[in-house]
Amino acid sequence: MQTVGNDTQAIITEVIRHRRSIKPFDMDSTREVDSALILELLENANHAPTHGLTEPWRFHIFTGEGKRTLAETMARLYRETTPEAEFREDKMRKMSENPMLAGAVIVLGMARRGGVKIPELEEIEAVACAVQNLALSVTSAGLAGYWSSPPLVYTRQFVEWLGLGTEDRCLGLFYLGWPKAGFTPPKANRKPVTEKITWHQS
Ligand SMILES: Cc1cc2nc3c(=O)[nH]c(=O)nc-3n(C[C@H](O)[C@H](O)[C@H](O)COP(=O)(O)O)c2cc1C
């Protein structure tokens, strides 16, 4: 196996630590993201680990007028599926505005093909690994990306609209775009990893 040198390690550390969630508001709505570039990013996502090689990630890419269709559908389904007491006009507006601010929206699907052999949790974990590959590739390409998970994406209505199967799930939306000119990403905000580590040495 080819070994990974010190340079590669330094580069990957930099990419991981510079990855930030950058929301559609900070994306340049006038710039599309080239489909060849999107494919390249998703090729990296496709290299995520997957138990039993089920490769459960499914990507539904919305660009151009497709973003409008997604925006209108999300607003309609939000109205249809939200109980009156929980309904918020501002949330519905955001759902119809956000896709139009991004260069592309990648809806994150999880297709259950492993049967009982692979627990659903592991299929969800595999998709999350794929999304992290995507997010890191987005960062290294100088793009902005953001994983969004409004409750609507977990509804059967939205999953069915995407054309996913009855056992499949939607895990969210990944907004993708070029950052606005002059945009400065926020600094990372994490408590020390030592607070989350327990060593067992005997
Ligand atoms: C599974 C998942 C779902 C997320 N959903 C949302 C969301 O719905 N709204 C939101 O503001 N951020 C969402 N985020 C992004 C987090 O808010 C973000 O990762 C966190 O604030 C840390 O910022 P950073 O990604 O820039 O390090 C989500 C992240 C993950 C991993």
Side-chain angles (χ1 to χ4, degrees):
M1 182 182 139
Q2 218 179 340
T3 53
V4 176
N6 284 340
D7 286 354
T8 314
Q9 223 178 326
I11 290 166
I12 200 157
T13 296
E14 186 171 331
V15 174
I16 288 171
R17 296 196 192 170
H18 278 83
R19 181 211 55 78
R20 292 276 72 78
S21 297
I22 302 172
K23 298 195 175 181
F25 175 81
D26 290 310
M27 295 176 185
D28 181 346
S29 61
T30 65
R31 271 184 89 181
E32 294 278 322
V33 182
D34 191 67
S35 22
L37 178 53
I38 297 177
L39 266 184
E40 226 176 281
L41 300 167
L42 291 177
E43 190 59 54
N44 285 356
N46 196 36
H47 277 73
T50 152
H51 191 180
L53 283 176
T54 55
E55 304 176 44
W57 41 84
R58 297 291 181 273
F59 303 112
H60 288 250
I61 309 169
F62 294 84
T63 57
E65 277 306 297
K67 289 185 296 182
R68 194 176 304 282
T69 306
L70 174 68
E72 287 172 0
T73 304
M74 286 203 298
R76 176 176 60 79
L77 290 180
Y78 176 73
R79 189 179 280 287
E80 286 173 10
T81 59
T82 311
E84 212 175 305
E86 290 164 34
F87 182 85
R88 285 195 21 207
E89 196 71 38
D90 58 330
K91 283 204 169 171
M92 192 176 75
R93 197 171 342 106
K94 232 176 177 185
M95 270 177 213
S96 49
E97 283 171 2
N98 273 345
M100 306 315 294
L101 298 174
V105 187
I106 302 173
V107 180
L108 309 165
M110 185 277 284
R112 190 110 172 83
R113 296 289 177 271
V116 286
K117 249 181 89 188
I118 310 292
E120 185 188 44
L121 178 61
E122 293 188 13
E123 301 293 39
I124 294 170
E125 289 162 344
V127 176
C129 290
V131 179
Q132 181 69 348
N133 277 6
L134 168 64
L136 295 176
S137 306
V138 161
T139 302
S140 63
L143 283 154
Y146 157 58
W147 187 345
S148 164
S149 52
L152 176 73
V153 302
Y154 301 127
T155 64
R156 282 322 303 168
Q157 287 88 339
F158 189 67
V159 171
E160 275 167 25
W161 178 75
L162 284 170
L164 291 167
T166 49
E167 287 183 75
D168 302 345
R169 286 187 189 226
C170 174
L171 300 185
L173 316 164
F174 193 91
Y175 289 100
L176 182 66
W178 293 102
K180 277 180 181 165
F183 170 75
T184 320
K187 292 249 177 300
N189 175 20
R190 295 291 190 275
K191 294 180 196 78
V193 70
T194 46
E195 290 179 13
K196 302 148 190 161
I197 294 174
T198 306
W199 297 92
H200 298 261
Q201 293 177 313
S202 64

